[in-house]
Amino acid sequence: VDLSNGSLDIQGGEVAVGATSIASGFTNSNTTVTISGGRVGPFFQCFGSTGAITGGELDTCGVFSGSTVTVSGGTVAGFPDVFSGGVVVIEGGDVNTFRALAGSTIELIGTAFTLDGQPLAVAPGQTILLTERSQTLNATLADGSSFSHALIPFDPGFPTPDVAVTSAAIFLPAVDPASIFQPRTQS
């Protein structure tokens, strides 16, 4: 897939990986990609574009400057690789881990947060900036799913995603659970 302008909605099937395991998809400025089903193999790259994962499965994706990728459902089996100027919003689904390089932003939208097992008091609508590293961040995301990530400094000599966070900004905009899960009314 090479999308230069417009929108793409992947609802099923598979966007396969190339034989060399490099880019299976590129998106450029003024594009929107929605993955609501199917599977997208590595390495899907967003350049100045908007992405939404609401279902299906995404392997590893590159989120470059000017791009925002929101995960509200589905599975990210690999990891978002977030570069300077890129934004990843995680509000639900199953995200295994992320790699956030200096100048990038990670937003976890959730109802409860802990850092090394200690509760973080975040009021609904409040955003806090985490500056500590070498700790484990746990969250109950907006959709009720659990998220856990070790905040360990990124080592450029050993760039494994499960230990990769640098001076990236990590924001925790808490939401009121009552505003997410509205009770159904009988009519």
Side-chain angles (χ1 to χ4, degrees):
V1 174
D2 190 352
L3 181 64
S4 297
N5 194 0
S7 62
L8 173 66
D9 187 4
I10 301 168
Q11 299 177 0
E14 181 172 2
V15 177
V17 180
T20 58
S21 295
I22 59 170
S24 65
F26 294 93
T27 63
N28 296 306
S29 299
N30 303 318
T31 61
T32 301
V33 176
T34 302
I35 301 169
S36 59
R39 180 179 186 286
V40 177
F43 187 81
F44 201 83
Q45 300 184 38
C46 294
F47 298 97
S49 55
T50 302
I53 296 106
T54 62
E57 181 180 315
L58 174 66
D59 201 305
T60 300
C61 67
V63 182
F64 293 87
S65 182
S67 296
T68 299
V69 172
T70 301
V71 182
S72 59
T75 299
V76 180
F79 61 95
D81 202 1
V82 192
F83 296 89
S84 180
V87 178
V88 169
V89 179
I90 303 170
E91 57 187 23
D94 183 12
V95 179
N96 202 21
T97 188
F98 58 79
R99 179 166 68 175
L101 303 179
S104 64
T105 301
I106 303 292
E107 293 185 22
L108 295 178
I109 312 297
T111 58
F113 305 96
T114 63
L115 194 59
D116 274 353
Q118 299 299 315
L120 286 173
V122 184
Q126 178 186 16
T127 299
I128 65 171
L129 172 62
L130 292 180
T131 56
E132 295 294 321
R133 298 296 187 248
S134 301
Q135 297 178 326
T136 299
L137 173 65
N138 292 296
T140 301
L141 299 176
D143 72 346
S145 60
S146 297
F147 178 83
S148 181
H149 194 288
L151 303 179
I152 300 174
F154 176 69
D155 179 355
F158 191 65
T160 56
D162 56 335
V163 295
V165 170
T166 61
S167 56
I170 301 173
F171 294 101
L172 307 176
V175 293
D176 182 355
S179 69
I180 300 170
F181 304 105
Q182 297 296 326
R184 296 187 130 189
T185 57
Q186 298 282 9
S187 55

